Amino acid sequence: MHAMTAAPSFTVDLTPTPTSDERRRQILEAPGFGLHFSDHMFTGTWTPDAGWHDGQVHAYGPLSLDPATAVLHYAQEIFEGMKAYAHADGSIWTFRPEANAARFRRSARRLALPELPTEWFVGAVDETIRTDRGWVPSGGERSLYVRPFMFASEVFLGVRPSQRVTFCVITSPAGAYFTKGVKPVSIWLSTDYNRAGAGGTGAAKCGGNYAASLLPQREAAEQGCEQVAFLDSVEHTWVEELGGMNLYFVFDDGSIVTPELSGTILEGITRSSILTLAEDLGHKVEERRVSIEEWRDGVASGRIAEVFACGTAAVLTPVGTLKWDGGQVGTGEQAGAVTLSIRDQLLDVQYGRAEDPHHWMHRVC
Ligand SMILES: *Cc1c(COP(=O)(O)O)cnc(C)c1O
């Protein structure tokens, strides 16, 4: 469809009314998560005739959508989540952006959306970050969260793939996920609901999967748990993942296991990086099926020493308690040593404090 090699050229149209330096400094001191947005955003458009075109960075602001815009009705939408990190020398980096670009293309394929060339994806993310580099917080575990997304923007109520698609990138400064030290989360095992079904969209990063996880997530909260874990939808036996994070199990012999990709699990870039990192750190690492019995019995017997969840937003999150209708097991209120060592190693690479032997880091500016 396109010459994939030529780097696209985007226009940059700076906002005449940027946030004041004082207000921005105030926001960057305590950004929270997903609350504040930088001054600029990226948009690009796809149509069958013109392909991807009109890529531009411009002032952040509301989109005006006709009420019949297809995405509002049929949820033809995908997104990505990544971060920009400020290193000690002031340079700004992203982590494995080509992996996000590749996953974005896979998600697009499943949702019958047009595939965005990697040059467009990485170029748009870089240009947006460069334009708002003053919004990348430094210090601690702060970062600029980057949210690329794509949606059906054709005004049409017929059910078919949209003939007009909009791609955007917005960015949002993010504070440390754990503000008072890394603390284990509690997990509710959902038995009434599944996140994804065989042949469905579980392996695609689409808003619809998240919509389906909100009710079970609310059920988890009612049970006093912070996150919800899902099993496979056929046998109700195999551990899949949380609503937005993958799972890892650390055994008492130091070996590490994560559920193998089943077609209904989202392939996290944090998950895949940990497969490599844990091996670098000397752990035996395995992708295989893990049953809910193995999780429960393993934690109860001590055979499973640590459980953690992983994803871009929270990096690595220790899991303390697993609770279900009828009981619970826990590994305690302390983060495990293996969880913490992998977490530190990954953060050290991302923040430029450690060697990057796998060339994961990408310099933006
Ligand atoms: C995004 C996501 C993850 C984590 O992926 P990362 O690339 O590590 O951020 C895990 N599960 C689901 C359902 C997700 O949407």
Side-chain angles (χ1 to χ4, degrees), residues 8-24:
S9 70
F10 302 132
T11 62
V12 178
D13 194 5
L14 296 181
T15 177
T17 56
T19 307
S20 73
D21 288 349
E22 191 196 342
R23 176 69 187 132
R24 193 181 70 230

mmCIF file of all heavy atoms in Angstrom, residues 8-24:
data_model
loop_
_atom_site.group_PDB
_atom_site.id
_atom_site.type_symbol
_atom_site.label_atom_id
_atom_site.label_comp_id
_atom_site.label_asym_id
_atom_site.label_seq_id
_atom_site.Cartn_x
_atom_site.Cartn_y
_atom_site.Cartn_z
ATOM 1 N N PRO A 8 8.019 9.228 6.944
ATOM 2 C CA PRO A 8 6.990 10.210 6.630
ATOM 3 C C PRO A 8 7.393 11.579 7.178
ATOM 4 O O PRO A 8 8.122 11.665 8.152
ATOM 5 C CB PRO A 8 5.760 9.667 7.354
ATOM 6 C CG PRO A 8 6.297 8.795 8.439
ATOM 7 C CD PRO A 8 7.616 8.279 7.974
ATOM 8 N N SER A 9 6.936 12.623 6.509
ATOM 9 C CA SER A 9 7.208 13.952 7.072
ATOM 10 C C SER A 9 5.890 14.511 7.613
ATOM 11 O O SER A 9 4.872 14.504 6.938
ATOM 12 C CB SER A 9 7.815 14.875 6.020
ATOM 13 O OG SER A 9 6.843 15.208 5.063
ATOM 14 N N PHE A 10 5.958 14.934 8.851
ATOM 15 C CA PHE A 10 4.774 15.430 9.539
ATOM 16 C C PHE A 10 4.895 16.938 9.714
ATOM 17 O O PHE A 10 5.990 17.461 9.871
ATOM 18 C CB PHE A 10 4.669 14.778 10.923
ATOM 19 C CG PHE A 10 4.612 13.273 10.886
ATOM 20 C CD1 PHE A 10 5.428 12.520 11.716
ATOM 21 C CD2 PHE A 10 3.740 12.616 10.042
ATOM 22 C CE1 PHE A 10 5.379 11.134 11.693
ATOM 23 C CE2 PHE A 10 3.689 11.222 10.014
ATOM 24 C CZ PHE A 10 4.504 10.483 10.839
ATOM 25 N N THR A 11 3.766 17.625 9.728
ATOM 26 C CA THR A 11 3.827 19.049 10.033
ATOM 27 C C THR A 11 3.682 19.232 11.540
ATOM 28 O O THR A 11 3.041 18.433 12.221
ATOM 29 C CB THR A 11 2.710 19.837 9.314
ATOM 30 O OG1 THR A 11 1.456 19.344 9.779
ATOM 31 C CG2 THR A 11 2.792 19.675 7.814
ATOM 32 N N VAL A 12 4.328 20.263 12.053
ATOM 33 C CA VAL A 12 4.242 20.592 13.477
ATOM 34 C C VAL A 12 3.719 22.011 13.588
ATOM 35 O O VAL A 12 4.324 22.948 13.091
ATOM 36 C CB VAL A 12 5.623 20.467 14.167
ATOM 37 C CG1 VAL A 12 5.517 20.855 15.633
ATOM 38 C CG2 VAL A 12 6.174 19.046 14.024
ATOM 39 N N ASP A 13 2.566 22.120 14.199
ATOM 40 C CA ASP A 13 1.881 23.405 14.313
ATOM 41 C C ASP A 13 1.754 23.713 15.807
ATOM 42 O O ASP A 13 0.890 23.145 16.482
ATOM 43 C CB ASP A 13 0.507 23.244 13.641
ATOM 44 C CG ASP A 13 -0.174 24.569 13.396
ATOM 45 O OD1 ASP A 13 0.458 25.610 13.662
ATOM 46 O OD2 ASP A 13 -1.344 24.546 12.960
ATOM 47 N N LEU A 14 2.630 24.556 16.329
ATOM 48 C CA LEU A 14 2.682 24.769 17.781
ATOM 49 C C LEU A 14 1.473 25.544 18.290
ATOM 50 O O LEU A 14 0.960 26.432 17.606
ATOM 51 C CB LEU A 14 3.966 25.511 18.161
ATOM 52 C CG LEU A 14 5.276 24.763 17.872
ATOM 53 C CD1 LEU A 14 6.472 25.591 18.324
ATOM 54 C CD2 LEU A 14 5.287 23.387 18.517
ATOM 55 N N THR A 15 1.025 25.191 19.484
ATOM 56 C CA THR A 15 -0.111 25.879 20.075
ATOM 57 C C THR A 15 0.280 27.312 20.441
ATOM 58 O O THR A 15 1.370 27.550 20.959
ATOM 59 C CB THR A 15 -0.635 25.140 21.329
ATOM 60 O OG1 THR A 15 -1.701 25.914 21.890
ATOM 61 C CG2 THR A 15 0.450 24.954 22.392
ATOM 62 N N PRO A 16 -0.626 28.272 20.178
ATOM 63 C CA PRO A 16 -0.336 29.652 20.593
ATOM 64 C C PRO A 16 -0.542 29.849 22.101
ATOM 65 O O PRO A 16 -0.142 30.870 22.637
ATOM 66 C CB PRO A 16 -1.338 30.484 19.780
ATOM 67 C CG PRO A 16 -2.456 29.547 19.469
ATOM 68 C CD PRO A 16 -1.885 28.146 19.439
ATOM 69 N N THR A 17 -1.165 28.875 22.759
ATOM 70 C CA THR A 17 -1.477 29.043 24.191
ATOM 71 C C THR A 17 -0.962 27.865 25.010
ATOM 72 O O THR A 17 -1.749 27.095 25.582
ATOM 73 C CB THR A 17 -3.005 29.170 24.401
ATOM 74 O OG1 THR A 17 -3.636 28.021 23.818
ATOM 75 C CG2 THR A 17 -3.562 30.426 23.783
ATOM 76 N N PRO A 18 0.390 27.690 25.083
ATOM 77 C CA PRO A 18 0.909 26.583 25.891
ATOM 78 C C PRO A 18 0.661 26.815 27.373
ATOM 79 O O PRO A 18 0.464 27.957 27.807
ATOM 80 C CB PRO A 18 2.409 26.600 25.579
ATOM 81 C CG PRO A 18 2.704 27.992 25.144
ATOM 82 C CD PRO A 18 1.455 28.516 24.491
ATOM 83 N N THR A 19 0.654 25.740 28.137
ATOM 84 C CA THR A 19 0.543 25.811 29.596
ATOM 85 C C THR A 19 1.712 26.639 30.133
ATOM 86 O O THR A 19 2.837 26.515 29.642
ATOM 87 C CB THR A 19 0.621 24.377 30.156
ATOM 88 O OG1 THR A 19 -0.348 23.580 29.477
ATOM 89 C CG2 THR A 19 0.357 24.336 31.648
ATOM 90 N N SER A 20 1.460 27.460 31.128
ATOM 91 C CA SER A 20 2.541 28.277 31.694
ATOM 92 C C SER A 20 3.586 27.373 32.339
ATOM 93 O O SER A 20 3.266 26.274 32.808
ATOM 94 C CB SER A 20 1.989 29.253 32.723
ATOM 95 O OG SER A 20 1.635 28.550 33.912
ATOM 96 N N ASP A 21 4.854 27.847 32.363
ATOM 97 C CA ASP A 21 5.930 27.055 32.972
ATOM 98 C C ASP A 21 5.610 26.736 34.426
ATOM 99 O O ASP A 21 5.881 25.629 34.899
ATOM 100 C CB ASP A 21 7.263 27.816 32.907
ATOM 101 C CG ASP A 21 7.805 27.857 31.479
ATOM 102 O OD1 ASP A 21 7.266 27.123 30.623
ATOM 103 O OD2 ASP A 21 8.749 28.633 31.237
ATOM 104 N N GLU A 22 5.019 27.692 35.106
ATOM 105 C CA GLU A 22 4.736 27.496 36.526
ATOM 106 C C GLU A 22 3.705 26.385 36.725
ATOM 107 O O GLU A 22 3.880 25.492 37.557
ATOM 108 C CB GLU A 22 4.225 28.813 37.127
ATOM 109 C CG GLU A 22 4.167 28.776 38.634
ATOM 110 C CD GLU A 22 3.325 29.906 39.200
ATOM 111 O OE1 GLU A 22 3.068 30.896 38.485
ATOM 112 O OE2 GLU A 22 2.891 29.764 40.365
ATOM 113 N N ARG A 23 2.629 26.424 35.926
ATOM 114 C CA ARG A 23 1.577 25.408 36.021
ATOM 115 C C ARG A 23 2.130 24.026 35.639
ATOM 116 O O ARG A 23 1.829 23.019 36.287
ATOM 117 C CB ARG A 23 0.404 25.788 35.103
ATOM 118 C CG ARG A 23 -0.721 24.766 35.047
ATOM 119 C CD ARG A 23 -1.508 24.675 36.350
ATOM 120 N NE ARG A 23 -2.467 23.579 36.331
ATOM 121 C CZ ARG A 23 -2.615 22.681 37.298
ATOM 122 N NH1 ARG A 23 -1.860 22.760 38.386
ATOM 123 N NH2 ARG A 23 -3.517 21.725 37.202
ATOM 124 N N ARG A 24 2.951 23.993 34.603
ATOM 125 C CA ARG A 24 3.517 22.717 34.170
ATOM 126 C C ARG A 24 4.406 22.121 35.259
ATOM 127 O O ARG A 24 4.327 20.932 35.561
ATOM 128 C CB ARG A 24 4.305 22.892 32.869
ATOM 129 C CG ARG A 24 4.633 21.550 32.215
ATOM 130 C CD ARG A 24 5.420 21.701 30.938
ATOM 131 N NE ARG A 24 6.765 22.160 31.221
ATOM 132 C CZ ARG A 24 7.357 23.193 30.622
ATOM 133 N NH1 ARG A 24 6.710 23.885 29.706
ATOM 134 N NH2 ARG A 24 8.581 23.553 30.948
#
